[in-house]
Amino acid sequence: PLQRCLTPAVPDAGNGDGELALGPTPVPASQQALHQPFNSDLPTISGFDDAIDVMHSLQRPKKITIVGSDGHRYSFLCKPKDDLRKDARLMEFNAMINQLFGGDSRARSRRLRICTYAVVPLNEECGLIEWVPNTVGVRHVLLRLYSAHGVSVSMAQAKALLDAPGAEPERQFLDHVLPRFPSVLHEWFVRQFGSPHLWLEARSLFTRSAAVMSMVGHILGLGDRHCENILLDERSGGVLHVDFNCLFDKGLSLEKPERVPFRLTHNMVDAMGVTGYEGAFRRSCELALGLLREHRDALMSVLESFLHDPLVEWSRRTTRAASRSKETEGLPNEHASRSLSAIRRKLQGSLQGMAPLSVEGQVDELIQQATDPKRLCQMYTMDEGEQRSQRHVRRTVSMLGACLATTSAGTVYLFSTYGPALSHRLGLSSSQSNVVAISANYGLLLSGPLFGWAADTIGPRVLSLIAAVGSFTAFTALAYTYSGAWQMPSWLILSLYMVLVGLSAQSANMAAVTTTTKNFKQNRGSAVSLCIAFFGLSPFVLSHVNTVFFAGDEPDTFGYLRFLSFLGLVTSVAAAGCLTVVGFGPSRYASVPPGFVVDRPPSSSSSSGLLSDRDDESVYGAVKAASTTVREVGEGSAGSSTTAEPAPVNVASNGVDYDTARDLGGWAYVNDVEARLLMLVLFLCAGIGIFYNNNIGTMVNAMYYSSTPHPEARTAQRLINHHVAVVSLGSFVGRLTIGIVADMCKRIWRLPRSGILVVITACVLVSQLVVISATTLPSLLVGSACTGLSYGFTFGFVPTLVS
């Protein structure tokens, strides 16, 4: 799919003087019959190169090499997780502009044209891009030149200078920032093109191609024109633009809006020669803009197709059923209509807040805006490396906060450490004690949908603060009820206290899990399992704390409950200060709602189930099968060969990302058949673990007092703590390992993760057989370990599967 292979040739419709006839011109029938729109000798695919270059950018696109039937090698970029329909439409638009330039003698004499390349969208999520050889990014050129001059480039220092307190940004930009970064781009042309003739040709082509793309970019509202998206042709000096994700004035709605219509910084002007933008650049801009305005009706007809093929970002945020409803079919997208209206106004010479201008006046105003220091000093200054570093730090701190939150939530499983003493002091029967114990689990499990919705709306920090208040209140009430300071009118009041314990635990747990699932993509299973592993480890640690500090000759249950109240308060408040949704690392040009990543609508043709966790397949799956060598390289550059495997791309064969495609909630989740099946499995497997957790204290007491001639309360409490610790440790190991196994199934073994449910169910069955056969405390300890492990498997795997 090369550009020259995808471009049909139309019959000559000249008007006799060499000009292109845009009006209807009759073509002889004989010529129509003999005309071939495509050459008959176009190359076909003969094979694939064994080497794949893996790019360092966010989505890890792959550069593949196809061997053609003509013996030549053709490179393409396989780009996942990106809608390339915009790029394809823009290439069509640019091709039409090239036709307009080719039909004008003035444009032809100046060789005004836009460098285009083939873009083949395979679906809404991935596609192929023709690799343009012999190009280098402006950023790479500038960094190399600055390094040769001994200039250290630090965007953090530039940002600090511009944001200096009490200083005027414009003066800081002119007096401190620009002197640090002198104009050096002209040196690249001198070094790259040795003879004066080649140097002059390259500089002229650079100036004119930059002028053309500046005008086209202004008309289309093209943003994100940083130095990595502007390439230089090493053979001719021409300018090539890539990455057209920020179209239709999208840059104006960013958190830090773009202020300039196109990139015309001091280095760009320096490379244009002594006349700067006042020479060939201005004249080329006027000529290009004049042609665009003259043929605006023809250009708008190409852009009208956007109305009938809405882009992913313009799609309505509806459910899959609503997106297929007949009420929305055929209606033009409002966002698209507004964008096309803005383009039409620009083609009429109207700029924001100004009356229509002539071509010369419009060009002059645009150049003034692009070179205005007041606007340049407001440009986005943080580079990708520093942004990635900050995101990594924030994600690490957030992970620490999530572990603190789940540590606080783990106190819901500690009833066995203080429940027997509490029941004995208050004179509760075995049935009443069981009701009190199970109340915490009612609060924990039944509040899951509520706190899940709260995590999506009010954010994780508020949930952590709710957990802090609830945990402190509940355990304080239990402590003073135990001591007799608070009178208990009914034992049911204890149940309400335990419900509050469960609510607090769920609030903290949902804040932690929600944040973690939204901060990690590739290793989400491991990240979530580490987070909820602390949920299971918390009882292990706290039961040992009870054994060491509170289980003396006379167990200090009141002090232990007060300790738990302050522990929940401190850890939850600390978690609230750490938790933040960082996201997977979207660029600043993605429209990210507060606290969450972009929701991408699923493909209309996809019909996967909740448990349908298909093997990762991508548009280059066949190439991957033949690959023996993978290279880790940067964008547009070659790297050394390594034996590392490429990072898998979680896009199935129909282009849907099954990690994030299904967005079930509310009744839609309840009505889903596979969701019901998952809930049933969770109910049976997790219910057994919860029941065992709540009654292990009673079981140990019964076996100890029935088998020991002279039982001691201190020894009984230590045995209970020991069993709780073993269950907790098994739960911790199970939660941690199951997430790693799930990631290995997905990324290494290429197996569906949903099959792990069968193994987990078998583990639960085996653990209960061990418990049933236990007749002594040591054999019951083995059953406790197996139950804790299978319980950890269940609770560690399900969030990974559904998140």
Side-chain angles (χ1 to χ4, degrees):
L2 302 172
Q3 177 75 15
R4 60 183 176 88
C5 299
L6 298 177
T7 305
V10 298
D12 185 17
N15 56 11
D17 58 358
E19 298 289 340
L20 182 66
L22 297 179
T25 301
V27 179
S30 59
Q31 186 176 356
Q32 295 181 10
L34 297 176
H35 176 71
Q36 295 293 333
F38 297 97
N39 293 331
S40 58
D41 58 345
L42 293 177
T44 58
I45 298 177
S46 176
F48 293 90
D49 197 312
D50 290 338
I52 298 177
D53 294 338
V54 182
M55 304 303 160
H56 286 307
S57 57
L58 176 65
Q59 301 299 348
R60 311 281 289 178
K62 276 74 175 174
K63 178 188 175 184
I64 66 173
T65 302
I66 299 177
V67 181
S69 57
D70 57 357
H72 295 289
R73 309 173 79 84
Y74 304 94
S75 297
F76 292 88
L77 188 69
C78 299
K79 198 166 185 181
K81 312 282 179 58
D82 196 3
D83 185 6
L84 296 181
R85 288 179 295 173
K86 276 182 300 185
D87 299 68
R89 294 293 191 191
L90 190 58
M91 288 300 106
E92 296 175 7
F93 185 79
N94 291 344
M96 184 173 185
I97 292 176
N98 284 338
Q99 291 180 4
L100 297 178
F101 289 161
D104 186 88
S105 59
R106 299 168 299 170
R108 283 201 310 272
S109 65
R110 291 172 173 82
R111 294 187 300 168
L112 297 187
R113 67 180 306 275
I114 302 173
C115 181
T116 59
Y117 46 88
V119 179
V120 184
L122 300 179
N123 54 33
E124 297 158 347
E125 294 283 338
C126 61
L128 297 175
I129 300 178
E130 180 183 358
W131 188 272
V132 182
N134 303 307
T135 56
V136 61
V138 174
R139 182 177 186 269
H140 177 72
V141 171
L142 291 177
L143 288 178
R144 189 167 54 190
L145 292 173
Y146 282 133
S147 177
H149 285 272
V151 177
S152 175
V153 178
S154 173
M155 294 298 103
Q157 293 180 3
K159 182 177 176 60
L161 290 173
L162 292 173
D163 297 340
E168 185 180 352
E170 181 182 0
R171 297 312 316 167
Q172 290 289 104
F173 177 73
L174 294 174
D175 298 339
H176 298 285
V177 176
L178 285 184
R180 285 174 175 259
F181 305 101
S183 301
V184 295
L185 188 56
H186 69 278
E187 297 181 11
W188 181 80
F189 290 89
V190 176
R191 298 180 182 183
Q192 188 72 20
F193 306 97
S195 67
H197 172 72
L198 293 177
W199 167 80
L200 181 60
E201 287 288 330
R203 195 190 69 178
S204 300
L205 184 58
F206 167 82
T207 304
R208 290 165 180 161
S209 57
V212 170
M213 275 308 300
S214 295
M215 294 300 101
V216 174
H218 160 66
I219 295 298
L220 295 177
L222 178 61
D224 192 14
R225 295 304 89 195
H226 56 76
C227 291
E228 289 183 343
N229 285 341
I230 303 177
L231 310 181
L232 297 176
D233 192 326
E234 294 180 313
R235 297 174 302 179
S236 65
V239 172
L240 170 67
H241 285 247
V242 296
D243 193 355
F244 303 106
N245 187 50
C246 190
L247 274 174
F248 309 122
D249 293 323
K250 185 179 176 182
L252 299 178
S253 59
L254 300 175
E255 181 179 353
K256 190 167 185 178
E258 296 188 340
R259 304 294 185 182
V260 293
F262 46 82
R263 191 174 192 91
L264 193 59
T265 55
H266 66 298
N267 266 305
M268 297 285 290
V269 176
D270 171 70
M272 297 175 185
V274 293
T275 59
Y277 55 75
E278 292 296 346
F281 181 83
R282 180 184 291 272
R283 183 64 188 126
S284 299
C285 285
E286 293 173 353
L287 179 56
L289 184 60
L291 287 173
L292 294 177
R293 291 176 57 169
E294 180 181 349
H295 300 290
R296 56 178 173 267
D297 292 335
L299 297 176
M300 290 302 300
S301 66
V302 176
L303 294 174
E304 287 290 339
S305 59
F306 281 116
L307 284 173
H308 306 289
D309 184 16
L311 304 181
V312 170
E313 296 143 35
W314 292 351
S315 299
R316 297 169 179 83
R317 294 181 180 274
T318 57
T319 61
R320 184 180 304 176
S323 64
R324 295 198 301 260
S325 64
K326 294 184 179 180
E327 290 84 354
T328 60
E329 291 182 358
L331 295 179
N333 190 285
E334 295 181 2
H335 191 168
S337 300
R338 290 195 301 269
S339 299
L340 293 177
S341 298
I343 294 174
R344 187 176 290 107
R345 288 194 300 270
K346 294 176 184 178
L347 288 172
Q348 293 171 351
S350 298
L351 298 179
Q352 188 174 10
M354 303 178 66
L357 301 172
S358 63
V359 172
E360 293 77 10
Q362 188 176 1
V363 169
D364 185 68
E365 178 62 28
L366 292 174
I367 291 177
Q368 289 185 26
Q369 292 181 9
T371 56
D372 185 4
K374 292 182 179 179
R375 294 173 179 265
L376 291 173
C377 68
Q378 300 179 54
M379 293 178 68
Y380 190 74
T381 54
M382 181 171 291
D383 67 354
E384 181 184 355
E386 290 167 322
Q387 188 179 21
R388 187 187 302 114
S389 177
Q390 287 194 5
R391 194 166 56 241
H392 176 73
V393 172
R394 292 173 59 199
R395 187 182 287 116
T396 302
V397 173
S398 185
M399 189 67 197
L400 176 61
C403 294
L404 288 174
T406 50
T407 298
S408 173
T411 56
V412 71
Y413 295 139
L414 289 173
F415 182 80
S416 293
T417 61
Y418 59 82
L422 184 67
S423 301
H424 178 74
R425 172 67 65 90
L426 300 179
L428 302 181
S429 66
S430 178
S431 298
Q432 292 172 339
S433 178
N434 283 334
V435 171
V436 171
I438 204 67
S439 297
N441 293 289
Y442 283 135
L444 174 72
L445 301 177
L446 296 181
S447 63
L450 172 64
F451 286 116
W453 169 83
D456 290 343
T457 53
I458 62 178
R461 292 185 174 181
V462 177
L463 284 187
S464 294
L465 295 177
I466 293 175
V469 175
S471 179
F472 179 79
T473 303
F475 282 110
T476 299
L478 288 173
Y480 284 101
T481 300
Y482 172 85
S483 67
W486 292 5
Q487 296 299 319
M488 184 182 65
S490 171
W491 65 272
L492 293 176
I493 299 297
L494 285 180
S495 299
L496 295 180
Y497 294 158
M498 294 305 297
V499 168
L500 184 57
V501 170
L503 292 174
S504 305
Q506 186 62 272
S507 180
N509 178 63
M510 198 59 66
V513 173
T514 300
T515 305
T516 304
T517 56
K518 293 184 181 300
N519 282 348
F520 292 88
K521 178 69 172 178
Q522 293 292 339
N523 300 301
R524 186 177 60 214
S526 302
V528 173
S529 65
L530 176 63
C531 170
I532 61 179
F534 278 84
F535 201 153
L537 184 64
S538 176
F540 170 78
V541 176
L542 295 179
S543 62
H544 277 290
V545 171
N546 184 22
T547 300
V548 175
F549 296 102
F550 300 100
D553 295 333
E554 186 66 28
D556 185 10
T557 305
F558 173 79
Y560 181 57
L561 290 171
R562 289 292 289 158
F563 165 74
L564 294 180
S565 67
F566 282 103
L567 177 71
L569 177 65
V570 173
T571 55
S572 296
V573 170
C578 297
L579 288 176
T580 180
V581 176
V582 182
F584 305 145
S587 72
R588 70 186 184 99
Y589 299 99
S591 301
V592 183
F596 295 98
V597 298
V598 176
D599 293 326
R600 291 196 172 185
S603 171
S604 59
S605 62
S606 64
S607 58
S608 70
L610 180 67
L611 303 181
S612 298
D613 200 23
R614 307 183 186 182
D615 292 346
D616 296 331
E617 299 175 4
S618 65
V619 296
Y620 34 85
V623 182
K624 182 184 72 62
S627 173
T628 58
T629 305
V630 177
R631 291 192 296 257
E632 296 273 350
V633 300
E635 290 282 4
S637 61
S640 58
S641 175
T642 67
T643 58
E645 286 294 325
V649 180
N650 298 326
V651 179
S653 56
N654 61 353
V656 179
D657 179 359
Y658 286 98
D659 283 332
T660 56
R662 301 207 65 192
D663 186 16
L664 291 178
W667 289 113
Y669 186 89
V670 176
N671 293 329
D672 188 87
V673 176
E674 293 183 350
R676 292 177 182 176
L677 176 61
L678 185 62
M679 286 189 288
L680 178 62
V681 173
L682 182 62
F683 174 79
L684 295 175
C685 295
I688 293 173
I690 292 174
F691 182 82
Y692 190 88
N693 238 341
N694 291 332
N695 291 275
I696 184 62
T698 303
M699 295 166 60
V700 171
N701 266 340
M703 296 186 72
Y704 172 69
Y705 281 99
S706 63
S707 61
T708 305
H710 305 288
E712 297 180 357
R714 176 183 179 181
T715 304
Q717 185 62 54
R718 289 182 179 274
L719 288 173
I720 292 173
N721 292 342
H722 189 47
H723 276 261
V724 170
V726 169
V727 173
S728 174
L729 185 60
S731 178
F732 169 77
V733 173
R735 294 171 193 241
L736 187 61
T737 56
I738 200 65
I740 299 175
V741 171
D743 276 348
M744 293 176 67
C745 285
K746 185 72 175 176
R747 303 181 60 190
I748 299 178
W749 300 327
R750 316 291 287 176
L751 297 175
R753 290 183 298 191
S754 53
I756 301 177
L757 277 176
V758 179
V759 179
I760 293 175
T761 305
C763 290
V764 173
L765 180 61
V766 170
S767 69
Q768 295 314 296
L769 292 176
V770 173
V771 172
I772 291 174
S773 61
T775 57
T776 61
L777 285 174
S779 59
L780 182 63
L781 190 64
V782 177
S784 296
C786 294
T787 302
L789 190 65
S790 61
Y791 182 70
F793 285 158
T794 305
F795 260 86
F797 175 70
V798 173
T800 302
L801 183 63
V802 303
S803 59

